Amino acid sequence: MSARDSERVLITIEGGIAIVTLNRPEKYNGLDMPMFEAITRAAKTLKKDRSVRAIILNGTGDAFCSGLDVKTVSKNPVNFLKLLVKPGRRISNLAQDVGYLWRDVPAPVIAVTHGYCFGGGFQIALGADFRFSTADCEFSIMESKWGLIPDMSLTVTLRELVPIDLAKELTMTARRFDGTEAKTMGLVSRISDDPMAEAMNFARELAERSPDAVAASKLLFNRTWNATDKTALDWETKLQKKVLGRTNQRIAVARNSGSPDKPFRDRRDF
């Protein structure tokens, strides 16, 4: 891999907040093979970093991500095999990993979108826990325009946000819609003139909470949102046992009982 390819995704961490930047601005951060690999590598790296309290996922240049770079990827037909094969017992392939793996990162992930958020780019954003956007950002589940279906984990992430008829409409028509409409549909969490600044403020707010409680909350809802009552209630009890009385839970009590500056420890594993 060339030095240029290795810089497809940039990661900076400060104060426990990681900023992950898609960095192929000359192609509107379009997804070529090095970009797929770099995004996956970033998610896996941050999953292991227990000091990270929140993650902001954004794109440099004029767009968040314009989706699959079909022209570049299709130059080698083997690329499609690399994207779609599921090695071993893994439940997701490389194409799906760029969106799905962010759900497995314990720290909350905030996608900040602007310009274009099409196809695979939209599915990456859907893999985040929150989406902050400009009002004029353009979105589309664009695959049907090319005679395809979305295959980057959208069937998991979209169903949590919209009813099935709307999911079918947006997928079948590939129509474009702006951030304001996306907010109305529940696809965007917040609209702002400066979503990056708002995301930073939100990330700092999350960093003031117990990292164990925040991570457990993310896992709780990811495991129970479409689960049976029994499964949901079991997960509540299971995760509460993992945080109750632990170091960060005791620190949270202390911070509300006369020691507001007592620092939290790194997040524990769940």
Side-chain angles (χ1 to χ4, degrees):
M1 184 178 292
S2 69
R4 183 178 181 83
D5 290 345
S6 69
E7 296 175 355
R8 284 287 194 268
V9 173
L10 307 177
I11 301 176
T12 60
I13 302 175
E14 185 174 350
I17 298 171
I19 298 177
V20 180
T21 303
L22 308 185
N23 188 41
R24 198 184 177 212
E26 73 281 3
K27 294 293 184 179
Y28 298 100
N29 297 317
L31 300 168
D32 61 355
M33 296 305 292
M35 183 72 93
F36 275 104
E37 292 161 0
I39 294 171
T40 298
R41 195 161 50 245
K44 290 179 177 179
T45 297
L46 292 172
K47 178 181 179 179
K48 298 175 183 177
D49 191 337
R50 296 190 297 116
S51 70
V52 170
R53 310 289 289 280
I55 298 166
I56 297 175
L57 181 59
N58 74 116
T60 191
D62 295 329
F64 173 72
C65 178
S66 59
L68 180 67
D69 182 348
V70 178
K71 183 177 180 181
T72 300
V73 173
S74 61
K75 285 181 179 179
N76 184 352
V78 175
N79 287 335
F80 290 105
L81 179 61
K82 291 179 179 178
L83 288 171
L84 299 178
V85 69
K86 293 184 180 180
R89 295 187 176 183
R90 291 184 53 199
I91 66 170
S92 60
N93 55 38
L94 180 58
Q96 295 161 336
D97 283 346
V98 292
Y100 188 76
L101 287 186
W102 296 109
R103 295 168 62 86
D104 280 342
V105 177
V109 181
I110 311 159
V112 176
T113 68
H114 72 289
Y116 304 116
C117 189
F118 293 157
F122 192 14
Q123 292 175 80
I124 292 170
L126 289 173
D129 302 290
F130 310 94
R131 282 152 297 283
F132 291 9
S133 178
T134 59
D136 60 355
C137 178
E138 291 189 69
F139 297 85
S140 176
I141 302 172
M142 192 163 278
E143 283 76 6
S144 71
K145 179 178 179 181
W146 309 107
L148 301 170
I149 62 169
D151 64 347
M152 298 185 193
S153 75
L154 176 139
T155 50
V156 174
T157 55
L158 188 63
R159 68 185 180 189
E160 295 175 349
L161 301 175
V162 302
I164 190 171
D165 57 342
L166 181 55
K168 289 177 179 177
E169 175 207 333
L170 296 177
T171 300
M172 293 174 184
T173 64
R175 74 176 180 87
R176 292 160 67 154
F177 51 94
D178 64 17
T180 300
E181 186 176 0
K183 176 67 169 66
T184 300
M185 290 188 287
L187 293 169
V188 165
S189 311
R190 300 187 190 180
I191 291 294
S192 173
D193 291 335
D194 190 348
M196 189 65 183
E198 188 153 351
M200 281 297 301
N201 289 335
F202 183 48
R204 293 187 184 106
E205 181 181 353
L206 292 171
E208 289 298 310
R209 299 291 178 260
S210 162
D212 293 352
V214 171
S217 296
K218 174 172 177 171
L219 182 59
L220 174 66
F221 288 115
N222 283 352
R223 291 290 185 270
T224 64
W225 200 249
N226 292 293
T228 64
D229 289 358
K230 182 182 185 307
T231 298
L233 296 174
D234 284 349
W235 270 103
E236 281 187 8
T237 303
K238 179 180 180 179
L239 291 174
Q240 192 72 297
K241 288 179 178 178
K242 288 181 178 292
V243 297
L244 184 63
R246 305 286 183 169
T247 300
N248 278 329
Q249 196 263 322
R250 296 197 302 271
I251 292 173
V253 172
R255 287 167 66 97
N256 286 281
S257 306
S259 301
D261 298 322
K262 188 169 185 177
F264 285 110
R265 304 284 180 84
D266 285 353
R267 182 193 72 243
R268 65 172 305 209
D269 290 327
F270 288 93

